[in-house]
């Protein structure tokens, strides 16, 4: 295994272990202002409690972790997720792997001649389950088939973004609460045939009512603050009219999504990506035209609150 397989990592500092990292982990740390620690050749089939603690520390510290040299079966992948926390069962069954509900399938490739999962998921900036009162703390993605040239997950470090906000935007987010919704990202299913767009939005809106979270979250482990907003799911600001809120969010998110804030992690079928949904937002790259693409995602609950600020989430009627 090449320890620096990507050109983006060619100038990474020499490998070194963090003080809390057991010697059994081969870790490559990111440069300053970049996310993503790389763990080489972990035996994910037999992780020890010490390795799990070290992985948690690395993902909380560096926000994204990349596991290289992986070749796991579906059940081994789920067992690895279970070692790290509690695997999520996604709330919409049409995303599930037919044999493993823990696996959320993003794929444009039929399985045994049948459509499986959903094609083209997450191609907008978001944080997973941001639209629920209890968001998803961690996500893993394991590419199974990578067609074309450009598949990757992109990240924005929302701790760094918050620290760098210009004064007018910093004043906007201070003590603010943002509103989040999923219904504008709903993907039509075969069951929706003959329903009007209004009916579909009302039905899905009832399942996923608008939720409010603090605009700035306090991390439960690192006690650092992060900006909690995304173009995908953040739709308004408490105390502002919808028009005012949308305009202010648009200005904020234009700044967040500046090119210099965006980092890319390429997909490879021997790599698993793991990230902390509190500290980064992410966006899946568009698949090249005609290219086959399948990835298996597992959400992981780490048993910690999403943020420690009060008041917490509020579901709006
Ligand atoms: Fe996502």
């Amino acid at each position: 295994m090449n320890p620096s397989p990507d050109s983006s990592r060619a100038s990474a500092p020499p490998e070194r272990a963090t003080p809390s990292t057991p010697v059994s982990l081969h870790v490559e740390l990111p440069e300053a202002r970049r996310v993503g620690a790389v763990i080489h050749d972990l035996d994910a089939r037999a992780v020890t409690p010490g390795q799990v603690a070290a992985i948690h520390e690395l993902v909380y510290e560096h926000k994204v972790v990349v596991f290289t040299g992986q070749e796991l079966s579906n059940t081994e992948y789920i067992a690895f997720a279970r070692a790290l926390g509690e695997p999520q069962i996604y709330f919409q069954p049409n995303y599930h792997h037919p044999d493993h509900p823990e696996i959320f399938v993003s794929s444009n490739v039929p399985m045994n001649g049948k459509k499986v999962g959903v094609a083209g998921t997450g191609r907008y900036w978001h944080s997973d389950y941001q639209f629920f009162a209890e968001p998803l703390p961690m996500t893993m993605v394991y590419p199974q088939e990578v067609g074309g040239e450009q598949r990757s997950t992109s990240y924005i470090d929302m701790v760094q973004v918050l620290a760098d906000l210009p004064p007018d935007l910093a004043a906007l987010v201070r003590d603010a609460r943002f509103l989040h919704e999923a219904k504008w990202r709903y993907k039509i299913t075969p069951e929706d045939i003959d329903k009007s767009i209004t009916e579909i939005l009302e039905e899905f809106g009832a399942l996923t009512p608008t939720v409010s979270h603090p605009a700035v979250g306090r991390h439960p482990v690192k006690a650092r603050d992060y900006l909690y907003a995304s173009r995908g799911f953040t739709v308004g600001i408490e105390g502002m009219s919808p028009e005012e809120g949308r305009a202010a969010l648009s200005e904020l998110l234009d700044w967040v999504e500046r090119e210099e804030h965006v980092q890319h992690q390429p997909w490879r079928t021997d790599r698993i990506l793991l990230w902390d949904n509190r500290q980064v937002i992410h966006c899946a790259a568009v698949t090249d035209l005609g290219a086959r693409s399948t990835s298996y995602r597992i959400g992981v609950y780490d048993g910690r609150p999403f943020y420690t600020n009060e008041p917490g989430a509020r579901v709006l009627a």
Side-chain angles (χ1 to χ4, degrees):
M1 174 62 59
N2 180 348
S4 294
D6 302 314
S7 57
S8 62
R9 297 212 166 269
S11 58
E15 292 154 11
R16 58 191 191 276
T18 57
S20 58
T21 303
V23 289
S24 58
L25 282 187
H26 178 186
V27 181
E28 187 184 336
L29 297 180
E31 294 175 20
R33 295 180 69 90
R34 291 193 63 82
V35 300
V38 182
I39 301 179
H40 294 289
D41 302 321
L42 170 79
D43 185 354
R45 297 176 181 86
V47 281
T48 65
Q51 287 174 327
V52 168
I55 292 166
H56 282 156
E57 169 57 23
L58 286 165
V59 74
Y60 296 141
E61 179 61 26
H62 300 290
K63 301 151 190 163
V64 178
V65 164
V66 182
F67 300 96
T68 70
Q70 298 300 325
E71 194 177 342
L72 302 182
S73 67
N74 293 337
T75 51
E76 288 167 342
Y77 181 34
I78 295 166
F80 181 41
R82 191 163 285 122
L84 298 178
E86 181 194 341
Q88 175 198 46
I89 307 291
Y90 195 70
F91 77 113
Q92 291 174 279
N94 56 315
Y95 287 80
H96 295 179
H97 187 289
D99 303 322
H100 305 283
E102 298 89 345
I103 297 178
F104 168 116
V105 180
S106 179
S107 177
N108 62 10
V109 182
M111 187 185 291
N112 301 322
K114 282 187 174 170
K115 172 177 166 58
V116 60
V118 175
T121 62
R123 293 170 176 174
Y124 46 83
W125 287 107
H126 68 286
S127 177
D128 291 331
Y129 264 35
Q130 192 165 30
F131 48 86
F132 278 137
E134 191 185 350
L136 178 66
M138 297 198 292
T139 300
M140 287 204 290
V141 165
Y142 189 8
Q144 304 292 300
E145 187 168 4
V146 184
E149 298 293 322
Q150 300 172 29
R151 290 298 283 163
S152 63
T153 300
S154 302
Y155 298 97
I156 294 176
D157 180 343
M158 298 299 273
V159 175
Q160 197 64 57
V161 157
L162 178 66
D164 293 345
L165 275 183
D168 57 329
L169 295 178
L172 172 73
V173 305
R174 193 176 305 125
D175 302 323
R177 293 182 66 86
F178 287 171
L179 306 176
H180 310 273
E181 282 180 359
K183 67 182 179 190
W184 307 107
R185 301 291 174 181
Y186 179 72
K187 287 178 182 283
I188 303 294
T189 70
E191 288 73 41
D192 295 318
I193 297 291
D194 294 337
K195 289 181 190 166
S196 71
I197 297 292
T198 306
E199 281 176 293
I200 292 168
L201 285 174
E202 282 174 359
E203 279 179 23
F204 192 64
L207 191 63
T208 57
T210 308
V211 67
S212 110
H213 291 291
V216 175
R218 172 67 52 89
H219 196 276
V221 176
K222 291 293 173 181
R224 17 166 116 125
D225 290 348
Y226 56 90
L227 178 62
Y228 193 48
S230 70
R231 186 89 56 184
F233 295 137
T234 310
V235 296
I237 301 179
E238 271 194 16
M240 287 189 186
S241 70
E243 296 75 20
E244 257 186 318
R246 274 198 295 272
L249 281 173
S250 177
E251 192 185 343
L252 174 69
L253 294 169
D254 284 349
W255 195 88
V256 168
E257 295 168 11
R258 284 182 174 193
E259 190 56 37
E260 65 261 33
H261 296 151
V262 178
Q263 304 181 39
H264 307 284
Q265 278 294 343
W267 283 15
R268 286 176 43 156
T269 54
D270 62 350
R271 289 186 177 192
I272 297 171
L273 305 178
L274 166 72
W275 64 86
D276 181 352
N277 279 306
R278 304 170 177 99
Q279 303 188 76
V280 290
I281 57 173
H282 62 281
C283 178
V286 174
T287 311
D288 291 349
L289 196 64
R292 292 160 61 96
S293 175
T294 299
S295 69
Y296 285 179
R297 160 187 144 173
I298 302 181
V300 179
Y301 290 96
D302 60 6
R304 301 178 186 278
F306 200 83
Y307 47 81
T308 57
N309 342 16
E310 291 295 339
R314 200 155 64 79
V315 178
L316 281 69

